Amino acid sequence: MIRKKFLGMVLAGILAFGLQAADTQAAEQTVTKNGEYASVPVNVENFTGSARMESLFSPHEDSATYAAYVTFEPGARTHWHIHPKGQALIVTAGTGYVQEWGKEPVLIQPGDVVWCPAGVKHWHGATAKNAMTHLAISEKSDKAVTWLEPVSDEQYSQI
């Protein structure tokens, strides 16, 4: 009997604490509906070929995470670049490549997930014959992405 009473008091305390915590939360969930984000051309200084981006969300409150869909037309690709905090890529459509400096290119297709670690020189983009879209997820940093030289047509054609 004492045990049940004790458990009842503990449960009541947990519930009361949970309700108080819920009452003190100031932030609210947000929903951005499909079509509310614009598709814009990417910065041509950092890409070869035609590509566009749809920014999905910017960092919120205590989170430094942001994400965008990037679509590369056939033959389009980023220049070599380095992320200060890394980047995750999730291929959602088409076929493309990702390559780390000094290594062979890797074919990527829908469902593939790529982690580009901080400080690693790499590029990514579509194959010569197919478009490719990926979801890019990154963290905001006090340092910008370091954009480097283009992937030359000669380098790209050897894939």
Side-chain angles (χ1 to χ4, degrees):
M1 183 69 151
I2 294 174
R3 187 174 187 195
K4 283 186 180 179
K5 189 173 184 179
F6 175 74
L7 290 175
M9 290 184 342
V10 170
L11 183 57
I14 290 171
L15 289 173
F17 176 77
L19 291 174
Q20 286 178 342
D23 290 343
T24 61
Q25 292 179 348
E28 290 186 15
Q29 179 174 286
T30 60
V31 176
T32 303
K33 301 299 270 181
N34 186 16
E36 289 184 28
Y37 31 83
S39 183
V40 298
V42 297
N43 185 341
V44 296
E45 293 178 12
N46 302 323
F47 288 73
T48 298
S50 179
R52 64 186 183 281
M53 180 181 75
E54 296 172 8
S55 181
L56 299 175
F57 62 87
S58 299
H60 290 84
E61 299 160 6
D62 295 332
S63 173
T65 305
Y66 62 96
Y69 283 125
V70 182
T71 300
F72 300 83
E73 294 303 322
R77 57 207 180 262
T78 67
H79 290 186
W80 289 99
H81 61 285
I82 299 168
H83 294 276
K85 290 197 171 187
Q87 180 182 54
L89 305 173
I90 303 168
V91 182
T92 59
T95 307
Y97 294 106
V98 63
Q99 183 178 13
E100 186 176 322
W101 184 257
K103 297 187 179 180
E104 293 296 316
V106 176
L107 184 71
I108 53 177
Q109 297 174 315
D112 291 349
V113 178
V114 178
W115 172 246
C116 305
V120 172
K121 184 176 177 178
H122 70 284
W123 69 271
H124 35 99
T127 65
K129 294 182 180 181
N130 300 101
M132 188 267 296
T133 299
H134 63 51
L135 171 61
I137 304 169
S138 303
E139 279 191 65
K140 186 177 177 182
S141 172
D142 56 350
K143 295 180 183 177
V145 173
T146 302
W147 290 98
L148 303 164
E149 73 275 13
V151 176
S152 72
D153 290 339
E154 182 181 331
Q155 290 171 313
Y156 185 76
S157 67
Q158 292 176 5
I159 299 174

